[in-house]
Amino acid sequence: MLIPVLIGMSIITFSIVHAIPGDPAKAILGDKATPEAVAQLKESMGLNKPMIVQYLDYVKGIMTGDLGTSFITKTPVAEEVGPYLAATMELSLAAMLIAIFFGMNLGILAAWKHNTKLDYTAMVIAIIGVSVPVFWLGLMEQWVFAQDLGWLPSNGRIDPRMAFESITNFYFLDALIQGDLEAFGNALQHIILPAIALGTIPMAYIARMTRSSMLEVMSSDYVRTARAKGVSEFLIIYKHTLRNAFIPILTVFGLQMGLLLGGAILTETIFSWPGIGRYVYEAINNRDYPVIQSGILLIAFIFVIINLIVDLLYAWVDPRIQYGKE
Amino acid sequence: MSANSTSLTSPTPSPMPDTGEPKAEAASPLGNVWRSFIKSRSAVIGAVIVLSILLIAVIGPLFLPYGYNQVDANSRLEAPSAVHWFGTDDLGRDVFARVINGARISLWVGFFAVTGSIIVGSLLGLLAGYYGRWIDVLISRVFDILLAFPGVLLAIAIVAMLGPSLENAMYAIAVINVPTFGRLMRSRVLAIKQEDFVLAAKAIGMKDRRILFKHILPNSWTPIMVQGTLNFAIAVIEAAALGFLGLGAQPPEPEWGKMLSDSRQYIESAPWTMIFPGSAIMLTVLGFNLLGDGLRDILDPRMKT
């Protein structure tokens, strides 16, 4: 299952350069390029070889960690992509934490107070949350919280004036390792707005799924029995119900990661967050095809891996699910 | 636009189109569907929003005192007033006129992309589900691969290949939505092809094509319509996202996403250039989401989440 998907992904990303109408070398160099320069680039890109050979070369490159070299920075993509990936992972993780915490609790609240004003309010918040475009939400946040109120910074990962050395490219981890609480706080301030923008849509989906899945479980016999036995409402919800309501929630979580990674491109562009999404976006503007190609492949690869992890989590959450057995 | 309205103004497709088949979950007459539609708050609110936006898109531009591309150097970045309801942008263009005209673009893109992906997805799903074997394996794998990409990312990749334009954005959005409909149709076909009326049709020697298009397709329509409404919302957001990134509509088209990206420079001095186009996107998406949710609950309770 995983192998054909990976092969298909590599074909699609390979096509990005090769499906450009006309001559990719010309498209890359622009209209004013001399025929010699075009010929040279063709040679260096291997565009003179048969298509199948080019594709196999491309796949061989990926397998050996060669993701191509950026036309703009002249640096191998594999070398420069590390910090961008770390920045995106940090942001996505923060967004997911927000989405899970608020989404699940909003859903639980709505299910617990089913058919009350609280339930309706929670669901109105959720349906609006599902419908708000992430890039607009980001701009609104910048306007209100950064420009107007001046509470939080609107750009970047950390104040550039701070003397902060990053070792792992994960700023929070680095700040903790170095015991630099000021840098930690500063990074936290920077991540709040983009993380909220990115986390809102998944939050809303998780809230809706949690509510419906909790409602289903809450009407089951064992919950009624627990209630009859006098188990506290808190334990019923967080221990008895939530665990069994978790499978559908987990599915939504897996699906939302795709939305999150797609949304990262938009969020990172708005908040000048130096992540993989912005890296790809700038490459598109610069027609930096190797970066576009590898960036998209990397994001898709991460998405596939996350879905694989979610599949494995199913079995962990619900031991009744077993893979490999009919 | 006229074709557009047919899709949008018929929110209550018959769940059981008249196929002459006695089978399937006791066909609920249209009247019942209409009654539950009226009762469903979200369906009604959604339908009202969608119809209003449709109306605005069709006739709104006729009543505007300004053209969407009418530049006025003397009234640049003016705040909302009685003259310019939504203010003006950096070129002195009326934001209200641009937002109203933008509705045409968004609905058109949504309609084209969703219709395209329904047609292609349904056909592929029909083939995969009905014929099975290698056709199913091949088509399902293609769906898996397309779904392995985050939607917006794949759209960006496609537009990066084809070159930025509204038309290419439409194609890209259509392509990324194909697997959703394909999988849905496939699962419906797999269920329906075991039904007695299909087996009977086969037994009397009916041709495959007739069985597919006369019997299976009409009986699979309901979930496709519901999903289509929900995907309309997704398509509108995706089109705006591509426009925002400069990969969709090009200037001076009054596309909502593009308007938002143009407004970024003036967030502080002229926030209205950002507030109104964004609200328009949100309202449109909200309308289709509410309508889709409502229709799903009414027409296809099994899909309920």
Side-chain angles (χ1 to χ4, degrees):
Chain A
M1 180 62 205
L2 192 62
I3 303 294
V5 168
L6 289 177
I7 293 174
M9 275 165 43
S10 69
I11 292 176
I12 290 185
T13 46
F14 173 76
S15 319
I16 290 175
V17 166
H18 297 82
I20 298 169
D23 190 339
K26 251 188 203 159
I28 289 159
L29 291 173
D31 295 335
K32 289 175 189 155
T34 59
E36 292 80 43
V38 172
Q40 205 183 353
L41 183 66
K42 265 187 159 177
E43 184 66 39
S44 71
M45 284 175 74
L47 290 173
N48 295 329
K49 296 179 192 168
M51 201 61 101
I52 182 80
V53 177
Q54 288 184 44
Y55 173 70
L56 291 176
D57 280 350
Y58 171 67
V59 173
K60 213 192 289 169
I62 298 173
M63 302 289 245
T64 53
D66 175 12
L67 297 173
T69 303
S70 162
F71 290 147
I72 306 294
T73 60
K74 312 280 182 221
T75 316
V77 175
E79 269 176 38
E80 61 177 16
V81 79
Y84 296 109
L85 271 179
T88 296
M89 280 165 80
E90 216 168 63
L91 178 60
S92 306
L93 206 64
M96 221 30 178
L97 285 179
I98 290 176
I100 292 173
F101 180 78
F102 288 102
M104 285 185 65
N105 282 304
L106 201 64
I108 289 170
L109 197 71
W112 185 38
K113 299 283 178 194
H114 186 44
N115 279 338
T116 62
K117 273 187 185 154
L118 209 64
D119 180 18
Y120 298 140
T121 315
M123 284 308 102
V124 168
I125 294 175
I127 187 90
I128 291 177
V130 170
S131 309
V132 63
V134 52
F135 42 98
W136 184 58
L137 187 64
L139 291 177
M140 291 291 278
E141 282 179 2
Q142 278 190 334
W143 172 50
V144 176
F145 297 105
Q147 311 265 11
D148 211 43
L149 299 170
W151 288 354
L152 291 163
S154 65
N155 282 310
R157 281 179 87 183
I158 201 162
D159 193 334
R161 285 165 299 185
M162 278 197 120
F164 179 69
E165 276 296 318
S166 179
I167 312 161
T168 60
N169 292 318
F170 291 94
Y171 284 14
F172 288 100
L173 193 66
D174 285 338
L176 283 181
I177 292 172
Q178 296 169 18
D180 188 346
L181 287 182
E182 203 192 335
F184 190 88
N186 194 278
L188 193 64
Q189 282 184 351
H190 277 82
I191 210 170
I192 291 177
L193 292 184
I196 291 177
L198 191 55
T200 298
I201 297 179
M203 187 270 298
Y205 275 111
I206 290 174
R208 295 174 67 173
M209 190 44 107
T210 307
R211 175 180 177 271
S212 64
S213 146
M214 289 285 288
L215 281 177
E216 204 168 292
V217 182
M218 273 170 133
S219 58
S220 59
D221 286 344
Y222 79 92
V223 172
R224 209 181 38 180
T225 311
R227 202 165 266 151
K229 280 166 66 186
V231 178
S232 78
E233 202 68 14
F234 182 85
L235 273 185
I236 287 178
I237 286 174
Y238 284 92
K239 189 170 170 217
H240 296 271
T241 318
L242 195 56
R243 179 153 186 171
N244 280 294
F246 211 69
I247 293 286
I249 299 172
L250 203 59
T251 311
V252 175
F253 172 80
L255 291 172
Q256 290 312 306
M257 276 316 286
L259 211 69
L260 207 75
L261 289 167
I265 297 185
L266 296 154
T267 315
E268 289 174 4
T269 310
I270 293 167
F271 290 96
S272 307
W273 189 267
I276 185 101
R278 186 153 164 262
Y279 182 56
V280 171
Y281 172 68
E282 281 175 1
I284 290 171
N285 284 339
N286 297 327
R287 294 180 151 225
D288 194 348
Y289 289 104
V291 174
I292 303 178
Q293 213 173 26
S294 304
I296 288 177
L297 187 68
L298 274 173
I299 299 177
F301 183 70
I302 296 172
F303 183 42
V304 170
I305 296 298
I306 290 170
N307 273 317
L308 191 71
I309 296 173
V310 169
D311 279 349
L312 296 176
L313 278 179
Y314 284 146
W316 181 67
V317 174
D318 188 347
R320 283 169 300 188
I321 297 174
Q322 287 184 328
Y323 292 109
K325 290 183 184 174
E326 284 299 314
Chain B
M1 232 37 201
S2 59
N4 199 348
S5 56
T6 45
S7 137
L8 298 172
T9 50
S10 51
T12 51
S14 161
M16 272 299 139
D18 184 19
T19 55
E21 308 303 340
K23 183 59 200 161
E25 332 65 74
S28 61
L30 213 59
N32 274 349
V33 174
W34 176 246
R35 267 188 294 280
S36 20
F37 180 82
I38 290 295
K39 265 192 216 155
S40 162
R41 207 180 307 172
S42 87
V44 171
I45 298 175
V48 168
I49 296 177
V50 167
L51 287 176
S52 312
I53 293 171
L54 186 67
L55 197 69
I56 288 172
V58 175
I59 60 165
L62 304 176
F63 297 98
L64 291 169
Y66 305 99
Y68 68 81
N69 202 24
Q70 197 175 322
V71 177
D72 180 1
N74 293 323
S75 50
R76 294 177 63 238
L77 299 173
E78 271 181 17
S81 64
V83 186
H84 297 288
W85 289 359
F86 289 179
T88 61
D89 68 4
D90 54 322
L91 296 174
R93 294 175 297 192
D94 186 54
V95 175
F96 184 69
R98 290 180 69 72
V99 170
I100 299 292
N101 277 284
R104 283 190 173 185
I105 298 181
S106 280
L107 290 186
W108 177 240
V109 173
F111 173 74
F112 178 89
V114 170
T115 312
S117 48
I118 286 180
I119 293 172
V120 178
S122 299
L123 278 177
L124 291 175
L126 269 180
L127 293 177
Y130 190 74
Y131 290 107
R133 298 150 72 101
W134 67 270
I135 299 182
D136 185 22
V137 173
L138 185 74
I139 294 176
S140 295
R141 280 295 163 274
V142 172
F143 290 163
D144 287 341
I145 291 162
L146 290 176
L147 287 171
F149 287 88
V152 177
L153 187 76
L154 188 59
I156 288 174
I158 294 171
V159 181
M161 276 193 254
L162 301 175
S165 76
L166 186 62
E167 203 174 302
N168 290 341
M170 280 201 271
Y171 292 134
I173 296 166
V175 170
I176 62 176
N177 284 303
V178 162
T180 312
F181 295 104
R183 278 194 169 177
L184 193 58
M185 183 57 96
R186 177 178 172 275
S187 68
R188 289 291 296 168
V189 174
L190 285 178
I192 293 173
K193 80 173 179 183
Q194 300 303 331
E195 299 268 1
D196 290 343
F197 71 89
V198 175
L199 297 177
K202 263 189 192 164
I204 58 166
M206 197 179 271
K207 283 200 176 107
D208 279 354
R209 199 166 65 182
R210 199 173 149 78
I211 295 178
L212 277 173
F213 290 98
K214 275 275 184 189
H215 297 288
I216 293 182
L217 191 65
N219 277 295
S220 314
W221 225 210
T222 311
I224 295 281
M225 285 306 293
V226 172
Q227 192 64 47
T229 315
L230 292 167
N231 274 49
F232 207 115
I234 297 173
V236 168
I237 284 211
E238 280 163 350
L242 289 174
F244 183 79
L245 292 173
L247 297 171
Q250 299 297 311
E253 292 282 342
E255 197 272 329
W256 292 336
K258 183 85 190 83
M259 289 169 74
L260 277 181
S261 80
D262 291 343
S263 77
R264 288 182 63 190
Q265 286 171 277
Y266 310 103
I267 287 189
E268 205 172 356
S269 56
W272 50 88
T273 55
M274 165 200 55
I275 294 171
F276 295 111
S279 312
I281 302 173
M282 197 182 79
L283 202 64
T284 310
V285 174
L286 184 69
F288 280 101
N289 272 335
L290 285 170
L291 183 60
D293 277 356
L295 288 181
R296 182 176 51 195
D297 295 351
I298 298 164
L299 298 174
D300 200 8
R302 280 162 305 173
M303 280 169 74
K304 196 170 181 175
T305 53

